[in-house]
Amino acid sequence: MPHKFVKEDISVTDKFIIKFSEMYIKQRSETRFEYGKIDESLLFQKHGFDSTQLQHIIKRNSVAEDLVREAGNTHKHVITDIYRSDLGELLLTYYFEDKLPKNERFIIPHKNITNRELAGQPGRGLDAIGYRIDNDRLRLMIGEGKVSQQKKNPPSVVDYNNDSIFNTQTKFKNDRDLLINRLSDYTRNLTDEAAEKIGLVLLLLEFDKQSDFDLVFGCALIRDVSCVKINDDYGKFYTQQTDFDPHNITFCVLNFDKEISETIDLFYEKVQELCKA
């Protein structure tokens, strides 16, 4: 399987903003119980409640209100902008689950957006972990996504920052113990079928049988028309591809036709509107 470098142009329409706002709210408010299976007769109805009301409260409180953005000071908190980070993660998982050719897509069973502890703080660790089976051979995808409208190609989040995509993925390629540690924590939250697949990778890593599965380093960079430059934005992933052999790189630049800052504001406003409806 060769390395893959692609650009996907994204038209930031009302349809796009609504689709990803709804997807975000769904992931943030997802529960481990099913509303339709709650026995409401015992307690809820005694007090005049139903599970629809519970669902509404959880949904409304699952997303954070950005006080800095509400005050009109977005330019002052790019580094801590949770909505910027979350839209990047949404698009990363959407690309690898839904936009790749069908035979190349991954199952990403556990979303950071859903399971992080606090709505107003980003998750830690890997942005996405996925798997697929190719001819009875297991492929594990380690996903990292970044958002940047820096007028520099590649932007610092690709090559130069301590937590750049390149530095992060290089650590996971070279440090087996680090990867085992992160996968162990990840596997705790999976259902049986997904735990079976990721658990197998854990066992193969632990017993030094890395050649029995394939590793894909999945990367997504969010850019816009004011700053994107192909192929420069792929950075060292493109110029030093052999650093990741014998594994594979899939790097997608997702390019907005509106400036990133404007798109994030539209996304934030729609999320708040839908949650308060």
Side-chain angles (χ1 to χ4, degrees), residues 132-150:
R132 75 168 186 261
I133 305 295
D134 284 346
N135 297 319
D136 293 328
R137 188 171 175 85
L138 185 61
R139 288 186 184 271
L140 180 79
M141 187 275 292
I142 298 173
E144 279 290 316
K146 295 290 185 183
V147 181
S148 178
Q149 60 189 114
Q150 184 182 27

Side-chain angles (χ1 to χ4, degrees), residues 66-82:
D66 187 333
L67 299 179
V68 178
R69 179 172 269 107
E70 293 287 347
N73 296 320
T74 55
H75 65 287
K76 294 182 179 179
H77 77 311
V78 168
I79 293 175
T80 58
D81 187 347
I82 185 63

Side-chain angles (χ1 to χ4, degrees), residues 165-217:
I165 306 176
F166 185 85
N167 287 337
T168 299
Q169 296 285 38
T170 298
K171 286 177 186 176
F172 284 112
K173 177 188 181 290
N174 295 333
D175 191 337
R176 185 187 69 168
D177 289 341
L178 176 63
L179 185 55
I180 289 173
N181 177 272
R182 296 298 169 82
L183 289 177
S184 296
D185 188 57
Y186 182 81
T187 303
R188 293 186 304 109
N189 296 290
L190 301 178
T191 57
D192 291 350
E193 182 178 353
E196 178 184 292
K197 308 299 189 300
I198 305 299
L200 174 59
V201 173
L202 257 176
L203 289 165
L204 292 171
L205 284 167
E206 178 71 20
F207 292 96
D208 203 20
K209 294 185 176 183
Q210 293 96 313
S211 61
D212 288 357
F213 73 96
D214 296 316
L215 198 54
V216 177
F217 294 95

Side-chain angles (χ1 to χ4, degrees), residues 18-259:
I18 291 168
K19 175 178 179 174
F20 284 94
S21 296
E22 290 177 340
M23 186 184 298
Y24 180 62
I25 293 167
K26 181 179 179 182
Q27 286 190 21
R28 278 298 307 145
S29 60
E30 185 177 310
T31 60
R32 296 188 181 186
F33 62 85
E34 295 183 43
Y35 290 101
K37 293 186 177 180
I38 290 178
D39 184 358
E40 300 184 8
S41 61
L42 181 60
L43 294 175
F44 283 44
Q45 292 176 5
K46 176 181 176 181
H47 296 280
F49 301 134
D50 62 47
S51 60
T52 302
Q53 293 167 289
L54 175 63
Q55 186 175 20
H56 181 73
I57 293 169
I58 291 174
K59 173 184 170 184
R60 191 184 70 231
N61 287 278
S62 63
V63 300
E65 185 176 26
D66 187 333
L67 299 179
V68 178
R69 179 172 269 107
E70 293 287 347
N73 296 320
T74 55
H75 65 287
K76 294 182 179 179
H77 77 311
V78 168
I79 293 175
T80 58
D81 187 347
I82 185 63
Y83 283 90
R84 183 187 184 93
S85 172
D86 281 356
L87 184 57
E89 280 197 29
L90 272 179
L91 289 168
L92 166 72
T93 56
Y94 176 72
Y95 177 75
F96 281 94
E97 282 191 312
D98 296 296
K99 291 298 289 180
L100 281 169
K102 284 189 176 181
N103 65 330
E104 297 178 20
R105 294 175 188 174
F106 290 88
I107 297 168
I108 302 175
H110 173 76
K111 309 291 196 298
N112 281 354
I113 287 173
T114 300
N115 293 287
R116 70 167 185 262
E117 185 176 356
L118 299 173
Q121 294 184 10
R124 297 183 178 183
L126 287 161
D127 289 340
I129 296 173
Y131 67 88
R132 75 168 186 261
I133 305 295
D134 284 346
N135 297 319
D136 293 328
R137 188 171 175 85
L138 185 61
R139 288 186 184 271
L140 180 79
M141 187 275 292
I142 298 173
E144 279 290 316
K146 295 290 185 183
V147 181
S148 178
Q149 60 189 114
Q150 184 182 27
K151 304 298 192 289
K152 174 182 177 180
N153 309 91
S156 298
V157 296
V158 172
D159 279 355
Y160 307 111
N161 292 351
N162 288 336
D163 66 343
S164 69
I165 306 176
F166 185 85
N167 287 337
T168 299
Q169 296 285 38
T170 298
K171 286 177 186 176
F172 284 112
K173 177 188 181 290
N174 295 333
D175 191 337
R176 185 187 69 168
D177 289 341
L178 176 63
L179 185 55
I180 289 173
N181 177 272
R182 296 298 169 82
L183 289 177
S184 296
D185 188 57
Y186 182 81
T187 303
R188 293 186 304 109
N189 296 290
L190 301 178
T191 57
D192 291 350
E193 182 178 353
E196 178 184 292
K197 308 299 189 300
I198 305 299
L200 174 59
V201 173
L202 257 176
L203 289 165
L204 292 171
L205 284 167
E206 178 71 20
F207 292 96
D208 203 20
K209 294 185 176 183
Q210 293 96 313
S211 61
D212 288 357
F213 73 96
D214 296 316
L215 198 54
V216 177
F217 294 95
C219 312
L221 175 66
I222 314 304
R223 296 293 262 166
D224 67 35
V225 291
S226 73
C227 58
V228 69
K229 188 174 182 181
I230 303 296
N231 293 309
D232 291 356
D233 276 345
Y234 301 128
K236 288 187 283 189
F237 283 97
Y238 193 75
T239 58
Q240 298 175 206
Q241 297 176 33
T242 56
D243 286 3
F244 289 89
D245 291 343
H247 310 297
N248 300 112
I249 301 165
T250 296
F251 195 132
C252 181
V253 171
L254 297 156
N255 181 45
F256 293 160
D257 64 358
K258 281 188 172 70
E259 289 197 357

